[in-house]
Amino acid sequence: MISLAGRDILHTWGKFVFTGVGLGLLIGVTLVMAGVYRGMVDDGKALLDNSGADLWVVQKDTLGPYAESSSLDEDLYRSIRIMPGVAQAANVTYLTMQVRKGGSDTRAMVVGIAPGELGATPGWPPYLVAGRQITRSHYEAVADIATGFKLGDRLAIRRNHYTVVGLTQRMVSSSGDPMVFIPLKDAQEAQFLKDNDAIWQDRRRAEANPAINRPYVPGLLDTVIATQGTDRYVNGILVRLKPGYSPDEVAQSIRRWKRLTAYARTQMEDILIGKLIATSAEQIGMFLVILAVVCAAIVAFIIYTLTMDKIREIAVLKLIGTRNRTIAAMIMQQALALGVIGFVVGKITATFSAPLFPKYVLLVPFDSAAGFLAVLMLCVLASLVAIRTALKVDPAEAIGG
């Protein structure tokens, strides 16, 4: 039985191998699509891990600071820090934007970190691969190596320039954008403060219609800018808890007494994975279903074609007394061999092409094992059409020629 399948494969090895390679490319795309989803989930978890927080305090009734906009007064962290169970609380801002370097720019999430020490203040990059951490209160930056920046580079964020003093790795947003860390005051200015032209336009509108617009205090432009900076905001407060305290209990206390929204780690994961990337996950799932159907159709077509090419040989086998079970097993073995060739080609293709994608592609062994079993199952199902055709062959066709 094995000899029959092997001999037939050798007889049509060219068609068999080329079909296996084509099937393998489709399987490789399927594995990469699954890796893209895994990478999105891992990006979200990496974002939470790198923040160093046990709780995220944000504006009331929002899903901030990652899935929705959130705005808090910067002095609220002081009242959070003295609550029972809180070991440390630090302000943080997040702003996704184009960071300019010379004549080019890079999409990045700019993170404003509060002054403090590494390990003691949430929000800081937990490790560096080169350089040092930020030590000045202005105009220094730590960048993820995925940005392509190097030590000593000068970056432009809004109207200020920053020197890259440190490089980190695997510090990304939930959408895979690399992070650039700058001092909190600089980040607040980049996100919340208006530029000179906007302030000048506000002054003109206030002068034209003071009853509708906010009150205008006459003075020099620099005075207006300085006045504007007195009320500062942040996107969230990162909270680290003392040992022995439950995140849910402390979060509930913050919601009750501070009239703010607080999320524990499990709740924040649900927001990032269940809401922020839910649509992308559904799209990837649809692509996987379509690719699975295409793979099954290809296997069914080629096995059916090979079976129809040897109808007379199958009739001869029936004429000499070969059992239907033997013939069916031969066709099914060919389908499984085609699936194995396709999976090997697909796995190699996915492994070598994954690092070339702009977003993080995470290939896990479980997906490979599940994909291999799925390919074998599809091959078995796809061979049933050819088996049904072969079993209907009349042995007299061997004589009729």
Side-chain angles (χ1 to χ4, degrees):
M1 181 175 63
I2 298 177
S3 177
L4 289 176
R7 287 177 181 273
D8 189 65
I9 291 174
L10 290 176
H11 180 67
T12 57
W13 68 270
K15 182 185 297 186
F16 206 85
V17 170
F18 282 115
T19 303
V21 172
L23 178 63
L25 294 178
L26 280 176
I27 294 175
V29 173
T30 304
L31 293 176
V32 169
M33 292 296 291
V36 169
Y37 170 73
R38 295 288 188 184
M40 293 169 63
V41 173
D42 193 73
D43 284 342
K45 293 182 178 180
L47 174 62
L48 301 184
D49 291 337
N50 297 333
S51 69
D54 299 312
L55 291 178
W56 288 258
V57 180
V58 296
Q59 182 180 345
K60 184 175 176 59
D61 298 327
T62 68
L63 298 177
Y66 309 120
E68 284 184 3
S69 175
S70 169
S71 181
L72 300 173
D73 290 329
E74 68 170 355
D75 59 350
L76 283 175
Y77 83 98
R78 295 187 177 89
S79 61
I80 300 294
R81 190 169 54 185
I82 62 175
M83 295 189 67
V86 175
Q88 186 58 267
N91 289 326
V92 68
T93 64
Y94 297 101
L95 176 62
T96 301
M97 59 177 294
Q98 299 295 128
V99 178
R100 302 187 304 278
K101 175 197 167 186
S104 61
D105 53 35
T106 300
R107 187 74 171 175
M109 173 179 275
V110 177
V111 183
I113 55 176
E117 298 180 359
L118 179 63
T121 306
W124 282 51
Y127 63 91
L128 299 179
V129 296
R132 60 173 174 82
Q133 295 281 1
I134 296 173
T135 57
R136 297 174 57 188
S137 57
H138 294 287
Y139 313 130
E140 289 188 343
V142 170
D144 189 276
I145 60 174
T147 58
F149 300 146
K150 297 179 176 58
L151 293 179
D153 284 350
R154 292 273 293 173
L155 312 179
I157 300 177
R158 293 288 191 260
R159 57 188 176 186
N160 294 324
H161 291 79
Y162 301 82
T163 302
V164 177
V165 298
L167 296 176
T168 186
Q169 188 174 19
R170 199 71 190 109
M171 303 292 164
V172 295
S173 69
S174 57
S175 59
D177 296 321
M179 289 183 170
V180 175
F181 297 86
I182 64 175
L184 179 63
K185 291 183 178 179
D186 290 346
Q188 288 174 308
E189 181 177 351
Q191 183 171 359
F192 297 109
L193 297 188
K194 296 181 180 180
D195 57 32
N196 293 348
D197 289 337
I199 297 173
W200 182 77
Q201 292 291 343
D202 283 348
R203 291 179 58 183
R204 293 289 301 272
R205 285 194 296 269
E207 291 173 350
N209 197 344
I212 296 178
N213 294 280
R214 62 190 180 189
Y216 164 65
V217 180
L220 295 175
L221 185 60
D222 292 338
T223 304
V224 177
I225 296 175
T227 305
Q228 184 198 29
T230 57
D231 295 330
R232 290 180 176 265
Y233 300 94
V234 295
N235 298 130
I237 302 173
L238 303 179
V239 177
R240 189 173 293 165
L241 302 181
K242 297 178 180 178
Y245 283 86
S246 168
D248 292 331
E249 292 180 359
V250 177
Q252 182 61 31
S253 179
I254 292 174
R255 297 187 198 105
R256 179 179 180 183
W257 298 109
K258 300 301 177 181
R259 311 297 295 176
L260 300 172
T261 296
Y263 295 109
R265 170 62 185 257
T266 55
Q267 295 171 317
M268 190 57 70
E269 281 190 8
D270 291 339
I271 291 174
L272 290 179
I273 299 173
K275 294 182 174 61
L276 199 59
I277 67 174
T279 303
S280 299
E282 292 176 0
Q283 287 182 324
I284 292 175
M286 289 297 297
F287 276 116
L288 293 179
V289 172
I290 293 172
L291 290 173
V293 172
V294 172
C295 290
I298 290 176
V299 174
F301 176 76
I302 193 63
I303 294 299
Y304 180 80
T305 302
L306 293 175
T307 302
M308 294 303 294
D309 288 344
K310 54 179 179 287
I311 286 295
R312 186 173 180 182
E313 289 80 359
I314 293 174
V316 171
L317 292 175
K318 284 193 169 187
L319 186 63
I320 64 177
T322 304
R323 293 178 295 179
N324 286 339
R325 183 174 62 183
T326 302
I327 297 174
M330 177 189 69
I331 297 174
M332 187 170 294
Q333 285 177 3
Q334 290 179 334
L336 291 174
L338 186 61
V340 170
I341 294 174
F343 183 81
V344 171
V345 174
K347 177 61 177 174
I348 295 174
T349 302
T351 301
F352 283 95
S353 64
L356 303 178
F357 281 76
K359 282 187 175 291
Y360 181 53
V361 178
L362 178 60
L363 302 176
V364 299
F366 175 80
D367 289 342
S368 299
F372 181 67
L373 294 177
V375 168
L376 295 183
M377 185 178 300
L378 289 174
C379 290
V380 170
L381 295 176
S383 67
L384 295 181
V385 177
I387 291 174
R388 185 171 180 270
T389 302
L391 297 183
K392 288 183 177 181
V393 174
D394 188 352
E397 294 186 18
I399 302 175

